[in-house]
Amino acid sequence: MAKYLVTGAAGFIGSSLIRALLERGEQVRGVDNFSTGRRENLSEVMKEIEFREANILDLDAMHSACKGIDYVLHQAAIPSVPKSVLDPIGSNRANADGTLNILVAARDAKVRRVVYAASSSAYGDTPTLPKQESMIPDPISPYAVAKLASEHYMISFFRCYGLETVCLRYFNIFGPRQDPSSPYSGVLAKFSMQMLRGDEPTIFGDGETSRDFTYIDNAVSANLLACSAPGDQCAGRILNCATGERITLNQTFEALKKLTGYKGTVKYAPEREGDIKHSLADISLAQKHLGYKVLVDFETGLRRTVAWYKNQRQPVGAV
Ligand code: UD2
């Protein structure tokens, strides 16, 4: 049985990874400082994992957290473009310095492999679609810069110390447990909750902005594959984690109207600082090196997501 460390354990993606690992009978340690993660996300599994409340910026705590670990799934982050525009130093600390700490700790503890939650924001607003990993990155927001810097650290640790690293460039992951309650929340979580409550959502821009929205099960599967794939296939690589389809914000609003029963209208507001217009992945490299497949398409994922928010007896938070 392998032992996994999940950073950002109480986050939407971290806690989803933990549930999948436990289902496979793996041993899991989780760390989170609850800066964006929520205790409720771990309530069902807290007894089955070794949980430590710690900040990834605390190198001693990370050294200790990496002891005896085979695989690190590094998800801890402040995952927001607009938040990074407001607070670039805070974003850099969590999203770049934090990764460097994890890498040093993993190297010293002789961890087998580190898999990292990289971001599609690294591609920037270049016109060519779909985005391929060989394209020159062109980050716009401080968030994208920090996420890209972390990718470079990951590869550097493979090259300099032989620590196996895999960067999964996530494309707008969504699904149950994504926090809808902050102004910085992912758009699908935010819109689902707002529309279920009958509140009018706001689209930033003309609504033709598009994303390769990727249901959580696909990201979980990519992480598990990134741990089990042979090192010569994936170590030191950057791989897109997405579906290869793109949906506009106007289309998501229409789809959510049907699923939530929302009868109202949508507001339009100016585009957000640091935003990218279109995002779409080429997933062939992940298919080739990891055997990655899209398990759940956008429509099915959105249906499941809305059903989950509907079933929450108490609202997850005030939007
Ligand atoms: C970026 C990354 C994504 C991930 C994420 C951090 C890109 C293409 N994607 O997501 O991979 O790293 O950061 O979790 O860079 N919007 C509205 N109304 C709202 C909220 C958002 O219209 O109430 C718009 C927003 O302006 C953007 C789109 O919806 O155009 C998606 O926004 P988001 O915050 O869900 O994610 P995004 O694309 O910044």
Side-chain angles (χ1 to χ4, degrees):
M1 202 193 307
K3 188 149 186 174
Y4 292 74
L5 172 67
V6 178
T7 72
F12 146 62
I13 301 178
S15 64
S16 302
L17 287 169
I18 289 176
R19 277 188 302 280
L21 289 168
L22 291 174
E23 269 167 33
R24 289 160 61 121
E26 306 289 4
Q27 275 183 281
V28 182
R29 182 179 292 156
V31 297
D32 205 298
N33 67 347
F34 299 110
S35 67
T36 57
R38 313 170 73 94
R39 281 174 206 278
E40 304 89 276
N41 286 342
L42 289 177
S43 53
E44 292 160 23
V45 295
M46 202 53 129
K47 286 206 183 89
E48 294 167 72
I49 66 171
E50 184 196 329
F51 179 75
R52 300 181 184 188
E53 186 167 345
N55 191 323
I56 53 168
L57 292 171
D58 179 345
L59 184 58
D60 288 343
M62 292 309 109
H63 266 126
S64 156
C66 282
K67 268 200 193 119
I69 293 293
D70 299 297
Y71 300 100
V72 176
L73 304 180
H74 177 37
Q75 312 297 310
I78 297 186
S80 167
V81 168
K83 215 170 180 175
S84 78
V85 175
L86 287 175
D87 179 16
I89 294 177
S91 170
N92 191 74
R93 275 199 199 109
N95 299 328
D97 295 351
T99 304
L100 182 55
N101 267 3
I102 294 294
L103 285 167
V104 168
R107 177 203 64 189
D108 294 348
K110 303 203 171 5
V111 161
R112 243 191 262 177
R113 192 173 289 174
V114 180
V115 180
Y116 173 58
S119 170
S120 64
S121 58
Y123 289 109
D125 223 358
T126 50
T128 318
L129 294 175
K131 302 297 185 197
Q132 291 175 334
E133 295 85 342
S134 57
M135 290 173 175
I136 296 171
D138 189 17
I140 296 174
S141 63
Y143 167 77
V145 172
K147 281 279 168 181
L148 179 62
S150 284
E151 289 186 3
H152 288 303
Y153 275 128
M154 292 281 287
I155 295 165
S156 160
F157 271 60
F158 175 57
R159 290 183 179 156
C160 294
Y161 309 110
L163 171 64
E164 291 192 354
T165 61
V166 186
C167 297
L168 295 175
R169 269 190 190 161
Y170 290 168
F171 281 67
N172 293 73
I173 313 299
F174 74 100
R177 292 183 182 79
Q178 189 170 25
D179 179 9
S181 68
S182 134
Y184 307 114
S185 295
V187 68
L188 295 181
K190 216 172 145 187
F191 280 13
S192 300
M193 199 50 131
Q194 287 172 326
M195 290 167 76
L196 281 171
R197 287 185 181 151
D199 296 339
E200 187 179 42
T202 301
I203 288 180
F204 299 123
D206 61 2
E208 290 310 300
T209 296
S210 63
R211 292 290 182 268
D212 190 334
F213 289 111
T214 304
Y215 188 65
I216 181 68
D217 288 15
N218 302 313
V220 167
S221 148
N223 274 274
L224 299 179
L225 290 166
C227 292
S228 59
D232 62 357
Q233 286 299 309
C234 63
R237 282 193 185 276
I238 296 164
L239 299 166
N240 287 340
C241 174
T243 69
E245 311 264 341
R246 77 189 160 99
I247 320 286
T248 67
L249 294 176
N250 285 328
Q251 287 170 326
T252 63
F253 172 68
E254 290 306 321
L256 282 170
K257 261 174 105 170
K258 290 197 191 108
L259 292 171
T260 60
Y262 177 74
K263 300 274 181 282
T265 51
V266 61
K267 255 195 304 257
Y268 288 88
E271 264 177 37
R272 286 198 310 205
E273 223 44 75
D275 242 1
I276 281 167
K277 188 73 184 170
H278 299 297
S279 179
L280 171 70
D282 180 333
I283 55 172
S284 51
L285 215 58
Q287 286 168 332
K288 178 175 165 202
H289 292 292
L290 300 181
Y292 169 78
K293 288 189 194 76
V294 177
L295 300 179
V296 179
D297 65 16
F298 174 73
E299 286 76 18
T300 312
L302 197 62
R303 220 173 27 246
R304 289 187 194 171
T305 304
V306 171
W308 187 85
Y309 286 120
K310 257 188 203 165
N311 279 338
Q312 294 306 290
R313 266 199 238 131
Q314 289 170 332
V316 179
V319 181

